Amino acid sequence: MMKKPSKSWDAMGKDELLRAVQANQFAVRDLMLYLDTHPTDANALSALMLRRQDYADAADAYAKRFGALTVMHVNDEDGWVAWSNTPWPWEKEAN
Amino acid sequence: MFQYEKALQYPVKIARPNAKLAKMIMSQLGGPNGELGASMRYLNQRYTMPLRELQGLLTDIGTEELSHMEMVSAVICQLTKGLTPEQLEAQGFADYFVDHTAGIYPVSAAGVPFNAATFQSTGDAITDLNEDLAAEQKARTTYDNILRLADDPDVRDVIRFLREREIVHYQRFGEGLRLIQEQLAKYAPDPENPYAFNTSFDPMPVRPQPRQGAPAGVSLRRK
């Protein structure tokens, strides 16, 4: 598998980084659908793995600086309240 | 957004098919007290819940109900797998079979298709949380009734797990209602009339705070 140059997630602002998370997450989703009907397409599979890595890295970078995206990002320093008492995705402030 | 995990919340491994039992358990998929309605109830109510903690609670329980839907469907799937049309008919499954074969379709035990009228989203936190408390008890009763009728130990084990979760959800919703009531007691202009406004719709009014040193229990009633 080809090596992808590392992305500068830490240089991005909050909105830009969130868009990067969403773009990579959407790419993963779209590749999953494609692979469901083309399960032996090696190019699609390697694209999925690259995008999956970017998605994970961007999500981790976002969570570290701006708050958890999943329960896996919740930590004792910020506590549960930082997860449960901050804007939910259907609020304008979260987008 | 939602993502899929390829594992059930609790294992379903049923040795003996039994279409009669499948038909009864089907009610917890598409019936009036079932998991589909439960999930739709909470996931739709959460947008107007006034406290973010409770929006989180509805998200978490609504998501768990999706997993329960999957478990109930897994039970039905395994209970009807490998049976011949003759066996299905002998086990009282012919009427379902005619329309759905062995496909999973959300109906009640009596064959009534799922109906969103079985749940509510009123946009009033007190009303919605009371609805949720009732819904958990209705589901618990349905699981109790299934346990009265089902003698297969593999099925009973799964049903007991699901029944227990209804009780846990009921407990959490009770605590959620208490959180709202504490907010009302703190901020409502008239603590004796908690229904004076809708906490989900009307802006939360701010009661004038007592001066420092005011004796505890002083009336905060306006005017």
Side-chain angles (χ1 to χ4, degrees), chain A residues 25 29 55 80 83-91 93, chain B residues 1-4 46-48 52-53 55-57 59-60:
Chain A
Q25 169 257 105
R29 173 67 41 189
Y55 171 40
W80 186 255
W83 161 260
S84 70
N85 205 9
T86 48
W88 288 97
W90 49 90
E91 298 179 53
E93 301 93 292
Chain B
M1 63 162 284
F2 293 88
Q3 303 222 46
Y4 189 65
R46 64 191 176 140
Y47 302 97
T48 51
R52 287 208 178 103
E53 297 91 311
Q55 296 183 348
L57 181 67
T59 300
D60 290 343

Side-chain angles (χ1 to χ4, degrees), chain B residues 30 32 50 69 79 96 99 117 124 130 155-156 168 181 184-185 221:
Chain B
M69 236 180 90
L79 282 175
Y96 183 92
D99 289 328
D124 179 315
N130 276 285
V155 172
R156 292 180 63 86
V168 171
Q181 284 163 338
L184 278 170
R221 199 184 281 227

Side-chain angles (χ1 to χ4, degrees), chain B residues 153-164:
Chain B
D154 298 342
V155 172
R156 292 180 63 86
D157 183 50
V158 177
I159 299 300
R160 271 201 218 95
F161 173 85
L162 292 168
R163 176 191 177 276
E164 187 63 33

Side-chain angles (χ1 to χ4, degrees), chain A residues 4-81:
Chain A
K4 187 104 171 172
S6 66
K7 300 276 168 47
S8 48
W9 309 118
D10 292 335
M12 291 182 180
K14 185 179 180 185
D15 292 355
E16 193 187 359
L17 188 48
L18 182 59
R19 292 293 169 263
V21 171
Q22 290 171 314
N24 283 293
Q25 169 257 105
F26 178 74
V28 169
R29 173 67 41 189
D30 204 32
L31 284 160
M32 286 168 70
L33 302 192
Y34 177 82
L35 280 159
D36 282 338
T37 53
H38 305 76
T40 58
D41 188 322
N43 288 331
L45 188 62
S46 66
L48 174 90
M49 291 191 289
L50 288 173
R51 288 299 199 149
R52 187 182 61 186
Q53 193 60 53
D54 283 353
Y55 171 40
D57 292 345
D60 287 348
Y62 182 93
K64 207 160 23 166
R65 290 163 60 205
F66 306 115
L69 291 169
T70 76
V71 70
M72 302 306 279
H73 292 131
V74 173
N75 60 70
D76 16 284
E77 203 185 318
D78 300 324
W80 186 255
V81 174

Side-chain angles (χ1 to χ4, degrees), chain B:
Chain B
M1 63 162 284
F2 293 88
Q3 303 222 46
Y4 189 65
E5 186 166 312
K6 196 180 170 183
L8 293 178
Q9 192 190 12
Y10 185 88
V12 175
K13 215 174 174 66
I14 294 161
R16 289 172 303 152
N18 180 342
K20 193 178 165 199
L21 189 49
K23 215 169 155 181
M24 294 188 262
I25 290 169
M26 185 86 71
S27 234
Q28 278 305 83
L29 176 63
N33 312 321
E35 303 290 357
L36 172 57
S39 184
M40 294 304 103
R41 176 183 294 112
Y42 308 141
L43 292 180
N44 284 292
Q45 285 178 356
R46 64 191 176 140
Y47 302 97
T48 51
M49 238 332 118
L51 300 178
R52 287 208 178 103
E53 297 91 311
L54 297 187
Q55 296 183 348
L57 181 67
L58 287 167
T59 300
D60 290 343
I61 298 183
T63 303
E64 187 179 344
E65 306 292 13
L66 286 173
S67 309
H68 293 172
M69 236 180 90
E70 185 182 37
M71 282 177 62
V72 171
S73 299
V75 170
I76 300 163
C77 175
Q78 292 180 24
L79 282 175
T80 52
K81 207 175 173 88
L83 293 176
T84 64
E86 293 73 25
Q87 288 171 316
L88 287 166
E89 188 174 18
Q91 295 175 18
F93 206 70
D95 45 4
Y96 183 92
F97 177 83
V98 165
D99 289 328
H100 312 292
T101 327
I104 305 291
Y105 179 72
V107 295
S108 74
V112 180
F114 176 72
N115 190 335
T118 55
F119 70 84
Q120 249 291 22
S121 175
T122 65
D124 179 315
I126 302 280
T127 313
D128 281 351
L129 285 166
N130 276 285
E131 149 114 2
D132 302 345
L133 286 161
E136 295 296 336
Q137 290 298 343
K138 289 191 282 183
R140 197 264 308 153
T141 299
T142 307
Y143 282 125
D144 275 334
N145 291 339
I146 289 169
L147 286 169
R148 287 172 193 268
L149 298 169
D151 52 6
D152 184 321
D154 298 342
V155 172
R156 292 180 63 86
D157 183 50
V158 177
I159 299 300
R160 271 201 218 95
F161 173 85
L162 292 168
R163 176 191 177 276
E164 187 63 33
R165 296 309 293 161
E166 310 299 343
I167 295 166
V168 171
H169 294 170
Y170 178 78
Q171 177 69 23
R172 297 285 92 83
F173 281 132
E175 291 155 359
L177 183 57
R178 200 183 64 217
L179 277 176
I180 295 271
Q181 284 163 338
E182 282 169 6
Q183 291 287 308
L184 278 170
K186 216 158 137 191
Y187 298 114
D190 182 354
E192 284 162 33
N193 182 10
Y195 306 119
F197 66 100
N198 175 347
T199 50
S200 298
F201 189 73
D202 302 312
M204 187 68 101
V206 180
R207 187 191 309 166
Q209 293 302 300
R211 283 174 291 111
Q212 274 207 324
V218 71
S219 170
L220 299 177
R221 199 184 281 227
R222 223 177 254 174
K223 90 174 176 197

